[in-house]
Every structure is written in C-alpha cells, then in structure tokens.
Amino acid sequence: MLLDLFQKTRETSMEMKPQEETGVKVVKCKGCGAELKAYAYGKNLYVCPHCGRYGRLLARTRIRQIADKDSFTELYADLAPADPIDFPGYADKAAQLAEKVGMPDAVKTGVCRIGGVETCIGVMDSHFMMASMGSVVGEKLTRLFEYATEKGLPVVLFTCSGGARMQEGMFSLLQMAKVSAAARRHSDAGLLYITVLTDPTTGGVTASFAMLGDIILAEPRTTIGFAGRRVIEGTIGETLPDDFQSSEFLLSHGFCDKIIPRNKLKGTLETLLKIHRRPKPKKRQVWHYGE
C-alpha cells in the first residue's frame, strides 16, 4: 500500500512540477496555476478540481484506472526502438526516456479484464516523445490486434500522439497502414474495437487507427486533428473556429460518438463491452442411437 502511494506521487510529478512545501507534496496545475495536494489530485483522477484541466496520464496510471484490479498482463514488453536511419542523438534520447518513463517506447499493450470482460488494451503515453508513432508503436499495436483476432477478444485503445516519429523517417509512416490492416482483419472477424481519444491525438495516428474504432469515445476538451491550425488556415485562407480540433467540435460534426468524463470512463467501457460480449456457446446434449 505504501509502495503504491509512492508510485502515484511519482506519476503525478510527470504531469505537474512539485512545489516545495514542508510535510505535504504540492503540485501546480498547468491550466489555472492552482496549487494542489498531490495525493488529492491523484484521487481525483488527475483532473484539476478548480479549472477541470485533464492531466496527461502515464500508461500504467491509465491501466490502473481502467482495468480490473490485478488483471493486467503486459504483452510485447521487450520491444524497444531501433535507429533505422541513424538519426543523430535518437538512440540516446530513447534510452533516457525509457528510464524516466519506465517503458521502452510510447505504448503499453496487454490483456486485462474490464468489468469482468477479457479485453486487449493498448495505451499510448505522451511522456515518451509525445507518443509519436514509430516502428515499435506500430509493431506492438499490430501484434495486439492479431492476438485479439486469434483469441476472439475486443480491443480498447487509448490514443495520444503528436504524430509520426520523424527520427525514423518513412518507417514511421509505414505503421499507419500496418496497424490499420490489422484492425481491419480484427473487424472482419466480427470483433469489437473501441478507441478513446485523449489529449492530444494528432497527425498520422488520427489519420489511421485512432478513427477506425467501431465506437469512438473522447475525453473532454481533447485536442484531436491531423495538421496544425496554422497550416490549415494558411492552406484554405480562412480563420478557423476557436474550438476547432477539440473533442466537442468533433462530436458536433459526427466524428466521435460520445465525450466521457474520466470518472465515468471505466463504467462506460464496462457497459459497452458487456453489451457486445460474444455469448458463450451453449452446451448441446448429443444423443446416440440406442441410448
């Protein structure tokens, strides 16, 4: 229990810088500047009680919030990024982030139970190069979909990304097609795929597997888009609405199905998974002639 408390405090510090205070650890909200007790902030699911700003979560924190207790088993944890185009400083930066974040790349994948329903889950983590999509992200998600297809399981994927990982050049762009193809095979098998768009979901991730879910959910005030605002305004020669590329804007234009507050997300996923759960085949009694 004490170890878990220390773990939560460490995760809080990844999102907000701690302020020095005797006896109690305090963090500062990046939205409104309010000083919050770290433990209370964690208990509130890393949402500021003053301005409602949603903190960006570590992958393991998200899994702890969503998965049934002690039900998560990680898959493909040993996959780590290579340096396919010898990009200067890339290998060192990836190694440093792996040690800081506690995972070798920007996504954690595995199997868990959500409301008792066995589910494949993938969580992208913005603390690792803004969850940019490189070869490891694409490979882990592809394998997750293939595993789910083989086992007949639903997939829940929490997306978060700044786009393709430029340090891997064209190899990062190839992941869009690879993951999308695996998602299509999963769909062709009649299985459920739910995406949860978290802040920010942009670039090639948005342009591929993030928007392929059978059900697309989003957290409030999440930035979702492909190209940046300035690029689009410069291209079309018009000023975009203030709420452009927000989850609320996407919902009003039919690009996502529902915006779910973080405190209701687990319950919503449980309901959806139970509704779409495949019924167990009924045992049929076989009668033999002469019995």
Side-chain angles (χ1 to χ4, degrees), residues 146-279:
E146 291 174 344
Y147 180 92
T149 303
E150 179 184 351
K151 301 294 184 179
L153 299 176
V155 172
V156 173
L157 183 57
F158 288 83
T159 64
C160 174
S161 182
R165 187 171 298 176
M166 58 171 287
Q167 293 91 339
E168 295 188 16
M170 67 174 290
F171 292 96
S172 65
L173 298 177
L174 295 174
Q175 309 313 311
M176 298 170 62
K178 184 167 76 173
V179 179
S180 296
R184 173 60 186 269
R185 291 190 291 270
H186 181 263
S187 177
D188 288 345
L191 299 169
L192 178 66
Y193 170 33
I194 300 175
T195 53
V196 183
L197 311 178
T198 70
D199 187 67
T201 296
T202 61
V205 170
T206 303
S208 56
F209 56 86
M211 304 304 290
L212 294 179
D214 300 303
I215 300 172
I216 301 176
L217 307 177
E219 288 192 325
R221 292 187 284 181
T222 294
T223 298
I224 305 165
F226 179 54
R229 172 185 288 268
R230 285 181 297 177
V231 173
I232 298 173
E233 288 183 336
T235 301
I236 66 176
E238 295 182 13
T239 301
L240 298 170
D242 291 338
D243 63 346
F244 182 70
Q245 292 187 329
S246 68
S247 51
E248 289 76 13
F249 183 88
L250 265 67
L251 178 65
S252 67
H253 289 75
F255 282 89
C256 71
D257 297 303
K258 191 75 173 177
I259 295 174
I260 308 294
R262 190 171 286 174
N263 62 348
K264 296 182 179 180
L265 189 52
K266 178 176 171 59
T268 300
L269 290 173
E270 289 178 356
T271 300
L272 291 172
L273 290 167
K274 288 176 181 178
I275 289 173
H276 293 274
R277 178 164 46 185
R278 282 184 165 186

Side-chain angles (χ1 to χ4, degrees), residues 15-80:
E15 165 59 23
M16 295 182 173
K17 293 183 179 180
Q19 307 296 307
E20 294 297 331
E21 183 175 302
T22 304
V24 179
K25 187 168 185 179
V26 175
V27 295
K28 189 173 183 179
C29 175
K30 292 182 179 178
C32 64
E35 293 187 355
L36 311 168
K37 292 182 179 179
Y39 181 76
Y41 178 56
K43 291 287 286 184
N44 201 43
L45 303 180
Y46 303 95
V47 179
C48 177
H50 300 286
C51 67
R53 181 183 186 274
Y54 275 50
R56 294 174 180 173
L57 303 180
L58 288 164
R60 60 175 174 267
T61 307
R62 178 77 71 178
I63 291 169
R64 189 174 63 240
Q65 290 181 359
I66 297 299
D68 295 352
K69 187 176 181 179
D70 298 327
S71 70
F72 177 73
T73 301
E74 189 168 1
L75 298 175
Y76 322 120
D78 57 338
L79 293 182

